[in-house]
Amino acid sequence: MLTHNRFLSLKVFILLLLVYKTHSKLNLKYGILRRAPNLAARNETISFRPRTKYDVQKTMRLMFYKNNTKTLEASAFDEDYLQRGSGCSPSDKFAIVLHGWIQSCADEWSLALIDRLSYYRGGCVICIDYSLIASTSYMRLYTNFENITGAIVTIILTLIKNGFDVKRGYMFGFSFGGQLVSAVGRSLAPQHMIQSIDTCDMAGPGFDPIAVDHSKAGKHVQCFHSSRDKGTFVYSCHRNIMLGSCGLAQPSVASQLHLGSHGLCVDIYINAFDYPFYALNTTPSECIAFQKVAKIPADYTVGYEENFDNRVTGQIFVPTSLHYPYNLSKKELKFLAGKK
Ligand SMILES: *[C@@H]1O[C@H](CO)[C@@H](O)[C@H](O)[C@H]1NC(C)=O
Ligand SMILES: *[C@@H]1O[C@H](CO)[C@@H](O)[C@H](O)[C@H]1NC(C)=O
Ligand SMILES: *[C@@H]1O[C@H](CO)[C@@H](O)[C@H](O)[C@H]1NC(C)=O
Ligand SMILES: *[C@@H]1O[C@H](CO)[C@@H](O)[C@H](O)[C@H]1NC(C)=O
């Protein structure tokens, strides 16, 4: 009995050691692990709470686009922007775009996405520029995570107050912006459930490995994953689309220099409006399925989906190619699938 107990405690000890080691490794990698964002965990009926104004709002700019034309740029603090000729009407669909660290609404990809959304989705596109806070250290940006989230929640509640309908709402976030979009959605839910949310390589540093249920952020939440170094390992969206090699790396990093696997996610998402990115109907042998693998209809392609197909949820593997626009033909995909 004694030996058994000793054996058991040794096992527990080793297990703890392993857990501790993994954690300290992650802590080293991210440095800032312990400050878990807990905004969404709080159970608050926010729509009945007086809307809070955050200081960070003063540094945030709202860029309104209608038919791919910038109609208005306003401070996020004033809240009278909807009366100032944005051209956006409450009966319009609305799309919110959120950039990442060291980025802005003037970035090439932001403008390209606004263009594709205007063309395929229509309605009003609002890019929320927080580049003033995002242009310094990641640590400083991360420290402001909850306040930026609160500020964006306030902005969306203002839209709702003015008659905009979350059923016609869509949010997109890249990297840090992906984490923001999820936290904003979870703060608004369940009273104001945003219809659809797409994220691109949601940031991992500072957020992993905290098990957040991103599927609670909106009615349909699909997350694209493209890198192992900057992207999250939390795959809890309704759909988790694993781009390239198991969602961890893109083969095209070799063919161009300015974008890593992380940055390629937005390029692929934007290209997916115009080019077919076919999904594999099986898990590639070299990939691990962390989640239920989706049942894929024949010739299923991923990307922005105007009407979310509820039959397709879970993990989806989508290989990408070496060269722009990074899609693979059906034939090449068959070859890849047959190789294993
Ligand atoms: C949240 O609060 C509401 C109202 O107080 C309550 O009805 C509900 O059960 C709570 N939900 C959770 C998950 O605690
Ligand atoms: C949208 O913009 C395009 C190109 O600038 C133009 O041809 C089209 O008429 C515009 N549509 C509306 C509804 O304003
Ligand atoms: C967040 O906002 C509150 C209220 O405006 C402020 O007191 C606090 O210092 C802010 N936090 C950070 C990290 O700026
Ligand atoms: C990408 O899609 C286009 C349009 O369907 C197709 O013509 C092209 O062959 C695809 N790219 C590759 C590398 O197969």
Side-chain angles (χ1 to χ4, degrees):
M1 196 61 207
L2 193 76
T3 43
H4 178 74
N5 266 345
R6 245 191 223 159
F7 180 62
L8 204 70
S9 48
L10 186 70
K11 274 217 293 207
V12 169
F13 177 72
I14 289 172
L15 195 73
L16 281 175
L17 202 73
L18 276 174
V19 169
Y20 176 76
K21 268 199 91 169
T22 320
H23 268 255
S24 52
K25 250 191 208 150
L26 282 163
N27 265 324
L28 259 179
K29 190 172 163 200
Y30 300 145
I32 38 184
L33 194 72
R34 299 231 168 258
R35 269 200 77 253
N38 63 355
L39 203 107
R42 269 187 258 137
N43 180 13
E44 287 177 279
T45 46
I46 51 162
S47 51
F48 304 117
R49 196 179 62 186
R51 274 172 303 121
T52 325
K53 275 200 180 182
Y54 293 82
D55 277 347
V56 284
Q57 259 166 279
K58 287 182 190 151
T59 66
M60 293 163 81
R61 310 283 299 168
L62 303 182
M63 319 286 188
F64 288 85
Y65 285 83
K66 194 77 197 280
N67 192 24
N68 201 30
T69 304
K70 194 171 175 181
T71 50
L72 178 70
E73 179 177 332
S75 159
F77 199 70
D78 304 332
E79 293 197 8
D80 64 344
Y81 34 80
L82 289 168
Q83 284 82 53
R84 293 210 274 124
S86 66
C88 294
S89 120
S91 57
D92 281 340
K93 290 181 193 167
F94 70 94
I96 305 279
V97 174
L98 281 172
H99 60 79
W101 178 42
I102 335 186
Q103 295 190 325
S104 77
C105 287
D107 282 16
E108 210 178 309
W109 76 258
S110 307
L111 298 173
L113 178 61
I114 292 164
D115 176 86
R116 293 295 77 190
L117 284 172
S118 303
Y119 185 81
Y120 285 100
R121 180 180 159 83
C124 183
V125 183
I126 307 164
C127 189
I128 302 180
D129 192 299
Y130 61 100
S131 55
L132 218 67
I133 325 162
S135 61
T136 56
S137 76
Y138 187 77
M139 188 63 200
R140 171 151 178 251
L141 179 60
Y142 182 81
T143 314
N144 280 292
F145 182 78
E146 291 196 20
N147 281 7
I148 303 170
T149 301
I152 299 164
V153 167
T154 300
I155 292 164
I156 294 173
L157 288 175
T158 302
L159 290 176
I160 294 168
K161 201 184 95 189
N162 280 276
F164 284 83
D165 187 350
V166 285
K167 288 200 190 72
R168 289 188 290 272
Y170 155 96
M171 292 199 284
F172 174 89
F174 167 51
S175 191
F176 190 84
Q179 291 285 357
L180 281 175
V181 153
S182 169
V184 167
R186 282 176 285 125
S187 300
L188 289 166
Q191 286 96 341
H192 304 294
M193 201 70 164
I194 298 279
Q195 186 67 17
S196 66
I197 289 178
D198 286 355
T199 70
C200 230
D201 218 32
M202 224 186 232
F207 300 95
D208 282 9
I210 297 145
V212 164
D213 190 352
H214 295 300
S215 73
K216 292 232 155 61
K219 189 131 187 276
H220 307 298
V221 183
Q222 61 170 353
C223 301
F224 294 76
H225 304 277
S226 67
S227 81
R228 65 157 62 77
D229 57 337
K230 301 196 177 74
T232 182
F233 289 115
V234 176
Y235 304 122
S236 58
C237 309
H238 293 119
R239 253 188 223 153
N240 287 286
I241 297 154
M242 318 302 275
L243 297 171
S245 316
C246 315
L248 300 173
Q250 303 312 306
S252 52
V253 281
S255 74
Q256 42 80 51
L257 297 167
H258 64 293
L259 297 169
S261 289
H262 184 56
L264 276 161
C265 191
V266 272
D267 279 36
I268 293 166
Y269 182 81
I270 290 164
N271 290 346
F273 280 98
D274 299 305
Y275 299 94
F277 283 77
Y278 294 104
L280 290 172
N281 52 17
T282 51
T283 304
S285 53
E286 69 276 17
C287 304
I288 303 163
F290 293 96
Q291 202 194 15
K292 170 182 82 83
V293 176
K295 278 211 173 61
I296 315 284
D299 296 338
Y300 185 77
T301 57
V302 299
Y304 170 78
E305 209 171 84
E306 183 73 28
N307 298 300
F308 193 90
D309 188 342
N310 273 319
R311 294 169 306 167
V312 188
T313 56
Q315 213 159 1
I316 303 177
F317 292 90
V318 179
T320 56
S321 79
L322 261 169
H323 299 284
Y324 186 90
Y326 317 119
N327 63 316
L328 285 165
S329 67
K330 260 191 262 183
K331 205 168 141 196
E332 286 166 307
L333 207 73
K334 272 215 185 85
F335 175 74
L336 274 180
K339 226 169 47 173
K340 59 185 192 103

